[in-house]
Amino acid sequence: SAVISQKPSRDICQRGTSLTIQCQVDSQVTMMFWYRQQPGQSLTLIATANQGSEATYESGFVIDKFPISRPNLTFSTLTVSNMSPEDSSIYLCSVADLALDEQYFGPGTRLTVT
Amino acid sequence: GEDVEQSLFLSVREGDSSVINCTYTDSSSTYLYWYKQEPGAGLQLLTYIFSNMDMKQDQRLTVLLNKKDKHLSLRIADTQTGDSAIYFCAENGGYQKVTFGTGTKLQVIP
């Protein structure tokens, strides 16, 4: 299984600011995803991070709000822009091979927006 | 779109078996998964089953898949207090993304 780390593990941010979350994997992976888990809720896929091209966003999520980078096969960033209290969530990075038979998650970044 | 549903809560006594159920709507699912999330922790992949299987056993865990009814279950034998967590069912609908269920909170009573 892949070992995934995320930075920061948690942060408290002010409304209107932006936060960039980093995801680092200990091996090259084909698929990288970003999920959001709002308090007491299930996971919602934000986007698939594509290496060398623009991320693929799910319905309800846009690049201006959640810009994503993936410069190589082991690293990705998610930025939460112009934050509001509704963005308070856990943000999870996830990786998988192309078959998606095993998908692993990072420890998450707990974001609180005040 | 794809929909995955679970009951929200299950309470069992220590030593009993737990059965967590899940239904899904996407008939093109390739893999179905069970994840465990302990309080304040990330998600741990417990097990997964390929859609052409109907059962998979791994130590205390048994996964049953009824593809016709689109029903997935996770049985935990000899449930321990350390099994208390939220369990998420998830399915891969073949569009290179995984859809998660609402999660079932398992409470184990000593």
Side-chain angles (χ1 to χ4, degrees):
Chain A
S1 64
V3 176
I4 307 166
S5 60
Q6 285 184 232
K7 288 182 184 179
S9 59
R10 59 177 62 225
D11 207 342
I12 301 173
C13 300
Q14 288 194 339
R15 183 196 298 261
T17 63
S18 298
L19 176 73
T20 296
I21 304 167
Q22 298 180 2
C23 175
Q24 180 74 54
V25 192
D26 69 340
S27 58
Q28 292 187 342
V29 291
T30 310
M31 311 291 290
M32 290 184 82
F33 307 92
W34 286 98
Y35 284 82
R36 179 173 74 182
Q37 186 178 23
Q38 293 177 300
Q41 302 294 315
S42 184
L43 281 78
T44 303
L45 179 64
I46 297 171
T48 302
N50 300 310
Q51 194 233 339
S53 64
E54 195 172 285
T56 305
Y57 289 85
E58 296 300 305
S59 175
F61 298 97
V62 296
I63 188 171
D64 290 346
K65 176 67 177 177
F66 297 102
I68 288 170
S69 79
R70 189 175 174 194
N72 56 51
L73 292 176
T74 63
F75 185 79
S76 177
T77 67
L78 167 75
T79 299
V80 186
S81 302
N82 188 24
M83 288 184 282
S84 67
E86 293 71 35
D87 295 320
S88 297
S89 280
I90 298 173
Y91 291 85
L92 297 126
C93 170
S94 173
V95 303
D97 60 20
L98 199 59
L100 284 186
D101 53 348
E102 295 184 2
Q103 183 171 355
Y104 298 99
F105 285 81
T109 296
R110 186 179 293 270
L111 170 63
T112 303
V113 183
T114 60
Chain B
E2 303 85 8
D3 194 20
V4 181
E5 293 191 356
Q6 304 175 234
S7 53
L8 290 179
F9 189 75
L10 176 66
S11 179
V12 299
R13 294 208 172 272
E14 190 174 17
D16 288 350
S17 292
S18 308
V19 179
I20 303 171
N21 295 301
C22 169
T23 58
Y24 60 98
T25 58
D26 190 342
S27 58
S28 65
S29 296
T30 310
Y31 291 97
L32 296 113
Y33 317 82
W34 284 103
Y35 284 86
K36 177 183 180 183
Q37 187 176 40
E38 295 181 87
L43 273 81
Q44 174 193 356
L45 177 63
L46 284 178
T47 187
Y48 65 93
I49 188 168
F50 191 48
S51 60
N52 69 353
M53 299 168 63
D54 51 23
M55 186 181 89
K56 181 177 180 181
Q57 189 152 3
D58 184 1
Q59 299 183 334
R60 292 191 298 122
L61 305 179
T62 303
V63 178
L64 294 178
L65 174 61
N66 181 329
K67 199 172 179 182
K68 173 175 170 289
D69 294 339
K70 299 190 185 70
H71 182 267
L72 182 75
S73 68
L74 173 69
R75 179 176 180 270
I76 306 172
D78 187 25
T79 311
Q80 303 297 306
T81 54
D83 295 323
S84 293
I86 299 175
Y87 290 81
F88 289 96
C89 164
E91 60 95 16
N92 166 18
Y95 294 100
Q96 293 300 307
K97 69 174 186 178
V98 175
T99 301
F100 282 79
T102 49
T104 299
K105 184 173 184 177
L106 174 64
Q107 178 188 47
V108 182
I109 304 167

